[in-house]
Amino acid sequence: MTSPVSRPDPEGTGYVLVRALSRFLLRLFYRRIEVVGAQNIPATGPLILAANHHNSLVDAMLLLAVIPRRLRILAKASLFRHPLIGPFLRVIGGLPVHRRQEPGHDAASSAALFEATTRALDTGGAILIFPEGRTQPEPALQELRTGTARMLLAAASSGARAVALIPVGLVFDQPGTFRNGRALVWIGPPVATEDCLDGVAATSGAAARVLTDRLAAALRAQIVEADDRRTLRLLKLAEELWREGGGARTPEADAESGEAARAAWLQRAMHTYRSLQERAPDRVAAFRQELEAFDAESEKVGLAAERLSRTYSFGSVARFSFSEGSSLLLAAPLALCGILLHGLPYSLTVLAVLLIPHTEEEDATDKIAAGLLFYPLAWLAEAYAVFRFGGGLALAVFLAALLPTGFFALAWHERLEHVRKEARAFVRFLTDRDALRRLRGRRRELVAELDSLVRIAPEAWPSVAERIE
């Protein structure tokens, strides 16, 4: 039995509203979202966007929010039956994919999907697909299914010969952490397809395999791959040491350089790491062990790599304390109001995420989905209580204050967390000079060893003078 293919509303109102909601939620959840390579997306004509799949439904929301063209999203059929997610997928014209292991999969369902994608591409539409076929948390591209290539070939055989196949890399840092996470949408140039579309080639399985292999190579160029999550964490720590050891960058300057610059640096560093594992395995293993020990100690004492270069004077500390302390104190009443108004839905969201079984890659999705449910419900309950006991004027004040105080409380909390971290680092500076000197000394040793290792295989690593430029 097949499920009907959903169709987008003709006016596109539902799509526009869902995209606006996705933008709002993602901008609220992530501290930074960066898009690179948008010029590679053709403004018109048939288009297939193929992205890696790391962060469950957030991946689709992110592309829905930042890609200027209207997308037909392919999603597993079970999501269309989800009481919260299903309606959104149907409104935006999502296309259900029946996996072989799921109920409802048969030849008819596959044929219906290919007919729908071909129809969309024939009319100059854009398809969004995740060719890995499943979401997973590891920093490596999984084996791609051939469905993307077969969809392109099917559309080409029906007459849509100018289908653009665009690889999109999604790179996340702390993807499930509210307001600390960052996301990069890295859009690559089109994958070459012309030689696979002629005559017999377009109907052969070989053409699909060739296109799938090309797409896999193109996606790998747009993401940061590592052997595992621990290796990726240590690679990011090496990047911090490299940057801070040069003394040429500040956190503010690093933020301006962007996520794409950091991702490109990490790609090249990982390439060099693998080369060094072959050329100097013992030195690489020893360096990794030292890096892990440094990471553990700096985490324990609360002094991240970017804070080891700080120097403190009485004047700078006094100015910082007065400026930040007075700002926090003056803003506290409004922040407290926001916390009170939003405390109930926040607590319900946290509790729901704790109780819902989920994998790491579903963390951000579950937080956003639970918030999307509990915040409106809590606001309605609070609005009713305010009207019941305070009347219409109180309700008007409540509604006017609801969103502004929420954003104000969020900004106040972020500032408080920043002050807390700075205060902890300063206390360590005053009370544990030995730990500070030890970490600084170990950092110098690690940077020196890193420079030494780079000279063994310099072809892919940024030069010492570059320092993330």
Side-chain angles (χ1 to χ4, degrees):
M1 182 177 180
T2 62
S3 62
V5 174
S6 55
R7 300 178 183 276
D9 55 303
E11 298 300 323
T13 305
Y15 186 92
V16 171
L17 291 176
V18 172
R19 181 162 64 179
L21 179 62
S22 297
R23 287 174 175 170
F24 171 75
L25 293 174
L26 291 170
R27 293 290 179 184
L28 183 63
F29 192 89
Y30 287 110
R31 178 179 294 274
R32 182 186 180 113
I33 297 174
E34 185 175 333
V35 181
V36 174
Q39 71 278 3
N40 290 319
I41 298 179
T44 58
L47 167 68
I48 297 178
L49 285 181
N52 63 307
H53 207 8
H54 174 73
N55 205 14
S56 192
L57 290 176
V58 168
D59 293 345
M61 289 176 61
L62 185 58
L63 291 170
L64 189 74
V66 303
I67 299 300
R69 293 188 56 176
R70 184 172 181 176
L71 303 175
R72 301 292 300 275
I73 299 174
L74 271 67
K76 60 183 180 180
S78 59
L79 289 176
F80 286 77
R81 298 188 294 271
H82 192 285
L84 184 61
I85 300 169
F88 287 99
L89 286 173
R90 287 189 288 271
V91 163
I92 63 175
L95 301 173
V97 179
H98 292 271
R99 298 177 176 179
R100 285 188 176 90
Q101 68 274 21
E102 294 178 345
H105 174 268
D106 54 24
S109 65
S110 295
L113 175 63
F114 277 87
E115 288 174 7
T117 56
T118 297
R119 211 164 35 242
L121 294 171
D122 278 344
T123 56
I127 299 289
L128 170 60
I129 187 170
F130 298 98
E132 290 170 286
R134 64 185 181 91
T135 183
Q136 54 85 29
E138 295 301 326
L141 190 70
Q142 302 300 299
E143 183 179 358
L144 302 191
R145 313 288 177 88
T146 60
T148 306
R150 290 188 291 119
M151 285 178 185
L152 186 146
L153 293 171
S157 65
S158 74
R161 298 190 56 83
V163 180
L165 178 58
I166 305 293
V168 181
L170 302 178
V171 183
F172 293 91
D173 185 51
Q174 302 184 61
T177 307
F178 181 66
R179 294 306 297 169
N180 283 334
R182 300 191 299 269
L184 166 66
V185 181
W186 200 353
I187 304 167
V191 176
T193 62
E194 281 296 322
D195 59 321
C196 296
L197 304 182
D198 296 328
V200 179
T203 61
S204 70
R209 287 191 292 274
V210 168
L211 285 178
T212 301
D213 289 343
R214 288 180 186 174
L215 177 59
L219 281 172
R220 286 195 168 94
Q222 308 305 134
I223 64 175
V224 178
E225 286 195 290
D227 298 335
D228 49 53
R229 281 172 284 177
R230 182 60 183 167
T231 299
L232 183 59
R233 174 180 169 84
L234 293 176
L235 199 66
K236 290 178 179 179
L237 176 59
E239 182 264 333
E240 288 183 18
L241 295 173
W242 183 262
R243 168 172 37 85
E244 295 297 325
R249 308 290 294 178
T250 65
E252 292 75 16
D254 178 58
E256 291 174 1
S257 69
E259 295 303 307
R262 297 188 74 226
W265 192 96
L266 291 170
Q267 281 182 332
R268 296 158 68 189
M270 189 65 207
H271 179 75
T272 301
Y273 171 72
R274 287 173 174 155
S275 177
L276 286 170
Q277 282 183 308
E278 297 178 358
R279 301 186 193 186
D282 293 339
R283 285 186 65 181
V284 170
F287 178 75
R288 176 170 178 143
Q289 187 175 4
E290 288 296 320
L291 197 61
E292 287 180 334
F294 175 84
D295 185 34
E297 185 173 3
S298 60
E299 184 78 16
K300 181 179 178 181
V301 301
L303 287 173
E306 71 269 14
R307 287 186 169 82
L308 291 178
S309 299
R310 302 281 180 86
T311 57
Y312 298 93
S313 66
F314 176 81
S316 65
V317 172
R319 286 191 298 272
F320 177 84
S321 300
F322 177 78
S323 173
E324 297 298 321
S326 58
S327 296
L328 287 172
L329 187 62
L330 290 172
L334 277 176
L336 180 60
C337 181
I339 292 171
L340 290 174
L341 292 179
H342 301 277
L344 176 61
Y346 177 83
S347 301
L348 290 173
T349 299
V350 170
L351 180 61
V353 172
L354 289 175
L355 295 177
I356 297 172
H358 63 278
T359 59
E360 183 177 342
E361 65 269 25
E362 294 170 337
D363 197 30
T365 297
D366 285 348
K367 289 176 180 176
I368 291 174
L372 191 60
L373 174 65
F374 288 116
Y375 272 83
L377 289 177
W379 290 339
L380 285 173
E382 291 174 352
Y384 173 77
V386 168
F387 179 74
R388 178 72 174 78
F389 295 103
L393 181 59
L395 178 61
V397 172
F398 169 81
L399 294 176
L402 189 61
L403 291 181
T405 57
F407 284 111
F408 198 90
L410 181 62
W412 186 85
H413 182 268
E414 288 180 0
R415 195 163 195 168
L416 180 64
E417 185 65 15
H418 170 69
V419 171
R420 187 190 68 79
K421 290 180 179 179
E422 292 295 333
R424 185 182 182 188
F426 177 61
V427 169
R428 284 289 181 183
F429 177 81
L430 292 178
T431 61
D432 199 351
R433 298 293 183 93
D434 289 340
L436 185 63
R437 281 193 293 268
R438 185 169 61 253
L439 285 172
R440 284 175 173 173
R442 293 183 71 176
R443 183 188 65 179
R444 286 192 296 270
E445 293 171 1
L446 286 169
V447 171
E449 176 64 5
L450 190 57
D451 284 345
S452 179
L453 285 169
V454 166
R455 295 189 184 98
I456 300 175
E459 63 275 1
W461 191 276
S463 67
V464 174
E466 188 176 357
R467 306 290 186 191
I468 322 283
E469 295 296 343

